Amino acid sequence: MSDATLHDAKQDPDDFAVQIADQVESFIVAVTEVAKGDEPGSAIPYLLLEVSQLLLAGGRLGAHEDIVPEERYEADTGPEPDDVDELRERFAVLLDPADVYSEVFDPYVPRSEPVACRISDDLADIITDLRHGMAHYRAGRVTEALWWWQFSYFSNWGPTASATLRALQSLLAHIRTESPLDELDGLDTDAAAAEDGSLEEEAGRVMAEEIAAPLGLKSARR
């Protein structure tokens, strides 16, 4: 199935596979456009919307019965796109200094310790998973594509997208309610955080000056 026939009018728009593929492709295209940085002021709200919509597709895949591939072994999808690292770097620049956040890997593991994550890494990883399935879909291996998207939803891109959504939503909530981060200790993946309380002050300054203003966001109440 080529790009030209991916959205052929003869395809049933009510078909489950077509709907999932449309949502996946829409996310890939939209988020890749955001990474270009042409509209940095709307990047975070737009990413919040796109990740939310993608998770709707993920929820449908998760609720669906197990999809069994037709072949015993997965067909070769060819070389992976070579722009993933560039996307990751673009997101890191675009989202700085709010790229790093804290997440609990598995909420059902007792006394789980939060780990530092990066939204830029998450988005690049999600796109990599989705593209892999899309390669199968475009080659006409629809069941294989659905199997991959469902499997990787549970094993990787689903949890990653859920964590990313939480981070984006929390970030916007902090900005619009003028509520500085309580602390940044543990959120720096590259260096140890200071222990003198300066990070709390810096967090408030970052939110007010470097994030909210460029995004054009104002608090709900003065």
Side-chain angles (χ1 to χ4, degrees), residues 32-113:
T32 301
E33 285 296 312
V34 173
K36 293 179 180 179
D38 294 336
E39 298 183 16
S42 60
I44 293 177
Y46 199 60
L47 288 172
L48 177 71
L49 176 61
E50 291 300 327
V51 175
S52 297
Q53 292 177 333
L54 176 66
L55 282 170
L56 174 59
R60 295 183 66 194
L61 285 163
H64 197 281
E65 62 184 7
D66 288 348
I67 299 168
V68 181
E70 297 172 353
E71 302 293 334
R72 182 176 180 182
Y73 298 104
E74 183 181 5
D76 185 8
T77 60
E80 297 288 343
D82 58 5
D83 65 338
V84 175
D85 287 338
E86 180 182 353
L87 282 172
R88 192 188 315 273
E89 292 170 3
R90 285 180 176 271
F91 282 130
V93 172
L94 186 63
L95 298 170
D96 182 67
D99 192 23
V100 182
Y101 69 97
S102 179
E103 174 64 10
V104 175
F105 182 71
D106 188 338
Y108 282 98
V109 174
R111 296 178 294 282
S112 294
E113 293 293 330

